[in-house]
Amino acid sequence: MARDYQAIRVQPRACGFGAEVTQLSLASALPEAVLAEVRRAWAAHSVLWFPDQPLSLEALEAFTLQLGPFGEDPFIEALPDHPHIIEVRREPGERAVNFGAAWHSDWSFQEKPPSATLLHAKIVPPAGGDTLYADGYRAWEALSETMRELLSGLRAVHSASLAYGPRGVLARDHHERSMKIVVSPEAERTQTHPLVRRHPESGRRALFVNPVYTRGIEGMADSESQALLGFLWEHMVRDEFVYRHRWQPNMLTVWDNRCAMHFADGGYDGHRRLMHRTTVAGERPAA
Ligand code: SIN
Protein backbone atom coordinates (compact mmCIF):
# COMPACT_ATOMS: atom_id res chain seq x y z
CA MET A 1 0.00 0.00 0.00
CA ALA A 2 1.28 3.49 -0.83
CA ARG A 3 1.77 5.37 2.47
CA ASP A 4 2.16 8.95 1.33
CA TYR A 5 -1.59 9.67 1.20
CA GLN A 6 -3.51 11.16 4.12
CA ALA A 7 -7.10 11.02 2.91
CA ILE A 8 -7.33 8.13 0.48
CA ARG A 9 -6.06 4.57 0.41
CA VAL A 10 -4.01 3.69 -2.68
CA GLN A 11 -3.04 0.09 -3.40
CA PRO A 12 -0.78 -0.02 -6.48
CA ARG A 13 0.07 -3.15 -8.40
CA ALA A 14 3.62 -4.38 -7.72
CA CYS A 15 4.97 -2.87 -10.96
CA GLY A 16 3.34 0.51 -10.19
CA PHE A 17 1.10 0.49 -13.28
CA GLY A 18 -2.49 0.65 -12.01
CA ALA A 19 -3.80 1.18 -8.49
CA GLU A 20 -6.99 0.69 -6.53
CA VAL A 21 -8.25 3.75 -4.70
CA THR A 22 -10.62 3.48 -1.73
CA GLN A 23 -11.66 5.45 1.35
CA LEU A 24 -13.48 8.16 -0.57
CA SER A 25 -16.87 8.74 -2.13
CA LEU A 26 -17.14 10.22 -5.60
CA ALA A 27 -20.88 10.86 -5.20
CA SER A 28 -20.27 14.47 -4.15
CA ALA A 29 -17.51 17.00 -4.88
CA LEU A 30 -14.11 15.99 -3.50
CA PRO A 31 -12.47 18.52 -1.18
CA GLU A 32 -9.39 20.11 -2.79
CA ALA A 33 -6.92 18.15 -0.64
CA VAL A 34 -8.54 14.81 -1.52
CA LEU A 35 -8.68 15.71 -5.20
CA ALA A 36 -4.98 16.58 -5.08
CA GLU A 37 -4.23 13.10 -3.70
CA VAL A 38 -6.32 11.45 -6.43
CA ARG A 39 -4.43 13.48 -9.03
CA ARG A 40 -1.09 12.47 -7.51
CA ALA A 41 -2.09 8.80 -7.52
CA TRP A 42 -3.26 9.09 -11.12
CA ALA A 43 0.05 10.68 -12.24
CA ALA A 44 1.96 7.92 -10.42
CA HIS A 45 -0.06 4.90 -11.58
CA SER A 46 -1.77 5.90 -14.90
CA VAL A 47 -4.83 3.71 -14.33
CA LEU A 48 -6.93 4.05 -11.17
CA TRP A 49 -9.97 2.04 -10.18
CA PHE A 50 -12.48 3.01 -7.54
CA PRO A 51 -14.69 0.10 -6.41
CA ASP A 52 -18.17 0.59 -4.90
CA GLN A 53 -18.97 4.00 -6.34
CA PRO A 54 -22.67 4.05 -7.24
CA LEU A 55 -22.77 7.27 -9.29
CA SER A 56 -25.67 9.04 -10.94
CA LEU A 57 -25.00 10.43 -14.42
CA GLU A 58 -24.75 13.88 -12.82
CA ALA A 59 -22.20 12.69 -10.27
CA LEU A 60 -20.11 11.10 -13.04
CA GLU A 61 -20.20 14.41 -14.93
CA ALA A 62 -19.31 16.37 -11.79
CA PHE A 63 -16.31 14.15 -10.95
CA THR A 64 -15.13 14.33 -14.57
CA LEU A 65 -15.24 18.13 -14.35
CA GLN A 66 -13.17 18.03 -11.18
CA LEU A 67 -10.40 16.50 -13.29
CA GLY A 68 -10.79 19.06 -16.11
CA PRO A 69 -13.16 20.26 -18.85
CA PHE A 70 -14.95 17.60 -20.91
CA GLY A 71 -13.18 16.26 -23.97
CA GLU A 72 -14.82 16.19 -27.38
CA ASP A 73 -16.19 12.74 -28.30
CA PRO A 74 -16.83 12.40 -32.05
CA PHE A 75 -18.47 9.59 -34.08
CA ILE A 76 -20.64 8.26 -31.25
CA GLU A 77 -24.05 9.55 -30.22
CA ALA A 78 -24.10 10.59 -26.59
CA LEU A 79 -26.91 9.93 -24.12
CA PRO A 80 -29.95 12.18 -24.58
CA ASP A 81 -29.66 15.14 -22.18
CA HIS A 82 -26.07 14.18 -21.31
CA PRO A 83 -24.00 15.29 -24.30
CA HIS A 84 -20.71 14.31 -22.62
CA ILE A 85 -21.65 10.77 -21.63
CA ILE A 86 -21.39 7.84 -24.02
CA GLU A 87 -23.16 4.63 -23.19
CA VAL A 88 -20.87 1.69 -23.96
CA ARG A 89 -23.55 -0.94 -24.32
CA ARG A 90 -23.71 -4.46 -25.73
CA GLU A 91 -26.88 -6.51 -25.55
CA PRO A 92 -27.01 -10.30 -24.97
CA GLY A 93 -27.99 -11.08 -28.56
CA GLU A 94 -25.64 -8.63 -30.22
CA ARG A 95 -23.29 -10.04 -32.85
CA ALA A 96 -21.34 -6.88 -33.72
CA VAL A 97 -17.81 -6.83 -32.32
CA ASN A 98 -17.75 -5.07 -28.96
CA PHE A 99 -16.77 -1.40 -28.88
CA GLY A 100 -13.07 -0.71 -28.28
CA ALA A 101 -11.92 -4.23 -29.18
CA ALA A 102 -8.43 -3.28 -30.38
CA TRP A 103 -5.49 -1.54 -28.70
CA HIS A 104 -5.87 2.22 -28.79
CA SER A 105 -5.44 5.48 -26.94
CA ASP A 106 -8.65 7.50 -27.02
CA TRP A 107 -9.03 9.92 -29.92
CA SER A 108 -5.27 10.19 -30.55
CA PHE A 109 -6.16 11.62 -33.99
CA GLN A 110 -7.34 14.86 -32.36
CA GLU A 111 -5.11 17.91 -32.14
CA LYS A 112 -5.48 17.74 -28.37
CA PRO A 113 -6.45 14.16 -27.46
CA PRO A 114 -8.22 13.62 -24.14
CA SER A 115 -5.95 13.33 -21.11
CA ALA A 116 -8.31 11.05 -19.21
CA THR A 117 -11.15 8.65 -19.89
CA LEU A 118 -13.56 7.67 -17.12
CA LEU A 119 -15.55 4.45 -17.41
CA HIS A 120 -18.25 3.59 -14.91
CA ALA A 121 -19.59 0.04 -14.79
CA LYS A 122 -23.37 -0.34 -14.55
CA ILE A 123 -23.89 -3.93 -15.74
CA VAL A 124 -20.99 -6.38 -15.77
CA PRO A 125 -21.22 -9.80 -17.46
CA PRO A 126 -20.46 -12.85 -15.26
CA ALA A 127 -17.37 -13.63 -17.37
CA GLY A 128 -15.45 -11.72 -20.05
CA GLY A 129 -15.72 -8.00 -20.74
CA ASP A 130 -12.41 -7.15 -19.03
CA THR A 131 -10.48 -4.05 -20.07
CA LEU A 132 -6.75 -4.43 -20.71
CA TYR A 133 -4.30 -1.57 -20.23
CA ALA A 134 -0.74 -1.29 -21.60
CA ASP A 135 1.90 0.88 -19.93
CA GLY A 136 3.51 3.21 -22.49
CA TYR A 137 6.16 4.42 -20.02
CA ARG A 138 7.74 1.09 -19.25
CA ALA A 139 7.42 0.03 -22.90
CA TRP A 140 9.50 3.09 -23.81
CA GLU A 141 12.01 2.60 -21.01
CA ALA A 142 12.55 -1.07 -21.96
CA LEU A 143 13.79 -0.21 -25.46
CA SER A 144 17.50 -0.20 -26.26
CA GLU A 145 19.19 3.19 -26.31
CA THR A 146 19.73 2.82 -30.06
CA MET A 147 16.01 2.25 -30.67
CA ARG A 148 15.10 5.15 -28.37
CA GLU A 149 17.43 7.44 -30.34
CA LEU A 150 15.83 6.36 -33.61
CA LEU A 151 12.28 6.94 -32.32
CA SER A 152 12.93 10.14 -30.39
CA GLY A 153 12.66 12.70 -33.16
CA LEU A 154 9.86 11.02 -35.11
CA ARG A 155 6.30 12.20 -35.59
CA ALA A 156 3.48 9.71 -36.10
CA VAL A 157 0.45 10.28 -38.31
CA HIS A 158 -2.91 9.59 -36.65
CA SER A 159 -6.37 9.31 -38.19
CA ALA A 160 -9.74 7.80 -37.27
CA SER A 161 -10.23 6.38 -40.79
CA LEU A 162 -9.60 2.71 -39.99
CA ALA A 163 -12.34 2.72 -37.34
CA TYR A 164 -14.85 5.44 -38.28
CA GLY A 165 -14.16 6.25 -41.95
CA PRO A 166 -16.62 5.33 -44.74
CA ARG A 167 -14.40 2.34 -45.62
CA GLY A 168 -13.47 1.62 -42.00
CA VAL A 169 -14.08 -1.45 -39.88
CA LEU A 170 -17.29 -0.12 -38.32
CA ALA A 171 -18.77 0.88 -41.69
CA ARG A 172 -18.22 -2.66 -42.92
CA ASP A 173 -19.69 -4.38 -39.87
CA HIS A 174 -23.40 -4.60 -40.71
CA HIS A 175 -24.49 -6.43 -37.58
CA GLU A 176 -27.02 -4.51 -35.52
CA ARG A 177 -25.36 -2.54 -32.76
CA SER A 178 -26.89 -0.88 -29.71
CA MET A 179 -24.36 1.95 -29.72
CA LYS A 180 -25.06 4.68 -32.27
CA ILE A 181 -21.83 5.01 -34.27
CA VAL A 182 -21.66 7.84 -36.81
CA VAL A 183 -19.33 6.86 -39.67
CA SER A 184 -18.05 10.00 -41.41
CA PRO A 185 -15.57 11.24 -44.05
CA GLU A 186 -14.31 13.53 -41.23
CA ALA A 187 -12.53 10.44 -39.97
CA GLU A 188 -10.10 10.64 -42.92
CA ARG A 189 -8.43 13.75 -41.47
CA THR A 190 -4.89 13.27 -40.24
CA GLN A 191 -2.96 14.75 -37.34
CA THR A 192 0.70 14.30 -36.45
CA HIS A 193 2.06 13.93 -32.92
CA PRO A 194 5.48 13.11 -31.46
CA LEU A 195 5.90 9.34 -31.46
CA VAL A 196 7.39 9.63 -27.98
CA ARG A 197 5.54 12.00 -25.70
CA ARG A 198 6.59 13.70 -22.45
CA HIS A 199 3.85 13.57 -19.84
CA PRO A 200 3.12 17.10 -18.58
CA GLU A 201 2.58 16.00 -14.97
CA SER A 202 4.96 13.09 -14.38
CA GLY A 203 7.70 14.43 -16.69
CA ARG A 204 8.26 10.83 -17.91
CA ARG A 205 8.37 9.86 -21.59
CA ALA A 206 5.97 7.32 -23.07
CA LEU A 207 5.37 5.75 -26.47
CA PHE A 208 2.41 7.57 -28.00
CA VAL A 209 1.25 5.40 -30.92
CA ASN A 210 -1.53 2.83 -31.18
CA PRO A 211 -2.64 0.32 -33.82
CA VAL A 212 -6.14 1.73 -34.32
CA TYR A 213 -5.34 5.39 -34.97
CA THR A 214 -1.65 5.55 -35.92
CA ARG A 215 -1.46 5.16 -39.68
CA GLY A 216 2.23 5.88 -40.35
CA ILE A 217 5.35 7.84 -39.53
CA GLU A 218 6.06 11.20 -41.09
CA GLY A 219 8.83 11.17 -43.68
CA MET A 220 8.99 7.37 -43.99
CA ALA A 221 7.89 5.09 -46.82
CA ASP A 222 4.81 3.09 -45.92
CA SER A 223 6.80 -0.16 -45.83
CA GLU A 224 9.33 1.41 -43.45
CA SER A 225 6.78 2.85 -41.04
CA GLN A 226 4.70 -0.36 -41.07
CA ALA A 227 7.79 -2.39 -40.17
CA LEU A 228 8.67 -0.05 -37.31
CA LEU A 229 5.10 0.25 -36.06
CA GLY A 230 4.59 -3.52 -36.38
CA PHE A 231 7.55 -4.00 -34.05
CA LEU A 232 6.06 -1.47 -31.60
CA TRP A 233 2.60 -3.10 -31.62
CA GLU A 234 4.19 -6.33 -30.39
CA HIS A 235 6.57 -4.66 -27.99
CA MET A 236 3.99 -2.37 -26.33
CA VAL A 237 1.66 -5.21 -25.33
CA ARG A 238 4.23 -7.60 -23.93
CA ASP A 239 2.80 -9.35 -20.87
CA GLU A 240 4.90 -7.35 -18.41
CA PHE A 241 3.40 -4.04 -19.61
CA VAL A 242 -0.24 -5.18 -19.59
CA TYR A 243 -2.77 -5.08 -16.78
CA ARG A 244 -6.09 -6.94 -17.19
CA HIS A 245 -8.86 -5.19 -15.32
CA ARG A 246 -11.82 -7.21 -14.06
CA TRP A 247 -14.91 -5.11 -13.47
CA GLN A 248 -17.53 -5.05 -10.73
CA PRO A 249 -20.81 -3.13 -10.94
CA ASN A 250 -20.41 0.46 -9.69
CA MET A 251 -16.67 0.44 -10.24
CA LEU A 252 -15.15 3.51 -11.88
CA THR A 253 -11.83 3.54 -13.68
CA VAL A 254 -9.86 6.60 -14.77
CA TRP A 255 -7.04 6.07 -17.21
CA ASP A 256 -4.42 8.32 -18.74
CA ASN A 257 -4.48 8.30 -22.54
CA ARG A 258 -1.13 10.12 -22.65
CA CYS A 259 0.85 7.13 -21.43
CA ALA A 260 -1.41 4.07 -21.71
CA MET A 261 -3.35 2.20 -24.39
CA HIS A 262 -6.41 0.09 -23.65
CA PHE A 263 -8.35 -2.79 -25.20
CA ALA A 264 -11.94 -3.85 -24.44
CA ASP A 265 -12.01 -7.63 -24.32
CA GLY A 266 -15.06 -9.59 -25.49
CA GLY A 267 -15.99 -13.11 -24.41
CA TYR A 268 -19.43 -12.32 -22.95
CA ASP A 269 -21.85 -13.17 -25.77
CA GLY A 270 -25.27 -13.86 -24.32
CA HIS A 271 -24.84 -11.28 -21.55
CA ARG A 272 -25.44 -7.54 -21.29
CA ARG A 273 -22.56 -5.16 -20.53
CA LEU A 274 -23.26 -1.51 -19.84
CA MET A 275 -20.82 1.25 -18.96
CA HIS A 276 -20.93 5.05 -18.96
CA ARG A 277 -17.95 6.89 -20.37
CA THR A 278 -16.69 10.46 -20.27
CA THR A 279 -13.41 12.08 -21.30
CA VAL A 280 -11.36 14.98 -19.99
CA ALA A 281 -9.85 17.43 -22.47
CA GLY A 282 -6.08 17.15 -22.94
CA GLU A 283 -3.26 19.26 -24.30
CA ARG A 284 -1.28 19.18 -27.55
CA PRO A 285 1.22 16.29 -27.12
CA ALA A 286 4.80 17.54 -26.64
CA ALA A 287 8.03 15.59 -27.18
C1 SIN B 1 -13.23 2.01 -24.67
O1 SIN B 1 -12.43 1.70 -25.54
O2 SIN B 1 -13.33 3.16 -24.26
C2 SIN B 1 -14.14 0.96 -24.09
C3 SIN B 1 -13.48 0.24 -22.99
C4 SIN B 1 -14.35 -0.85 -22.43
O3 SIN B 1 -15.55 -0.91 -22.75
O4 SIN B 1 -13.84 -1.66 -21.66
Side-chain angles (χ1 to χ4, degrees), residues 31-234:
E32 204 47 54
V34 180
L35 182 62
E37 289 196 357
V38 169
R39 283 189 162 286
R40 194 146 51 80
W42 186 46
H45 304 296
S46 306
V47 182
L48 300 182
W49 57 96
F50 303 80
D52 302 322
Q53 299 287 346
L55 299 178
S56 63
L57 296 175
E58 290 75 17
L60 174 62
E61 288 165 334
F63 179 55
T64 305
L65 287 171
Q66 284 209 286
L67 297 178
F70 288 121
E72 193 198 317
D73 293 309
F75 308 124
I76 302 165
E77 267 180 31
L79 278 181
D81 302 327
H82 295 275
H84 300 290
I85 300 185
I86 287 171
E87 196 178 59
V88 179
R89 175 189 283 272
R90 194 162 184 274
E91 290 296 328
E94 211 161 315
R95 292 179 58 213
V97 167
N98 61 288
F99 177 72
W103 284 107
H104 62 287
S105 164
D106 284 331
W107 310 146
S108 71
F109 52 84
Q110 293 181 332
E111 186 187 348
K112 296 179 181 176
S115 54
T117 301
L118 289 78
L119 196 62
H120 188 234
K122 308 299 285 184
I123 301 174
V124 175
D130 297 349
T131 306
L132 281 68
Y133 296 96
D135 184 354
Y137 288 137
R138 283 182 305 131
W140 164 250
E141 288 156 9
L143 292 170
S144 68
E145 203 158 322
T146 308
M147 182 56 100
R148 280 191 267 162
E149 261 170 43
L150 171 70
L151 299 179
S152 273
L154 298 178
R155 292 185 69 82
V157 182
H158 298 247
S159 147
S161 60
L162 186 67
Y164 299 102
R167 290 184 301 278
V169 173
L170 292 163
R172 283 185 275 120
D173 182 349
H174 295 297
H175 294 301
E176 215 165 288
R177 186 181 281 280
S178 24
M179 290 178 69
K180 300 280 170 294
I181 309 269
V182 186
V183 163
S184 163
E186 285 284 302
E188 308 279 353
R189 282 201 197 167
T190 59
Q191 177 71 50
T192 68
H193 292 305
L195 191 149
V196 186
R197 168 174 195 182
R198 192 173 293 282
H199 194 287
E201 283 162 54
S202 72
R204 289 170 75 188
R205 300 180 83 193
L207 288 166
F208 188 63
V209 281
N210 65 87
V212 173
Y213 299 131
T214 308
R215 311 306 320 134
I217 298 174
E218 210 171 48
M220 280 192 176
D222 198 47
S223 55
E224 294 169 338
S225 60
Q226 292 319 316
L228 200 43
L229 290 171
F231 160 75
L232 289 175
W233 305 154
E234 280 189 24

Side-chain angles (χ1 to χ4, degrees), residues 89-93 123-126 268-274:
R89 175 189 283 272
R90 194 162 184 274
E91 290 296 328
I123 301 174
V124 175
Y268 56 94
D269 283 1
H271 299 280
R272 179 172 293 128
R273 182 179 187 269
L274 174 61

Side-chain angles (χ1 to χ4, degrees), residues 226-245:
Q226 292 319 316
L228 200 43
L229 290 171
F231 160 75
L232 289 175
W233 305 154
E234 280 189 24
H235 172 76
M236 291 170 82
V237 299
R238 271 165 40 182
D239 284 352
E240 62 265 40
F241 307 138
V242 171
Y243 162 58
R244 173 180 284 275
H245 182 74

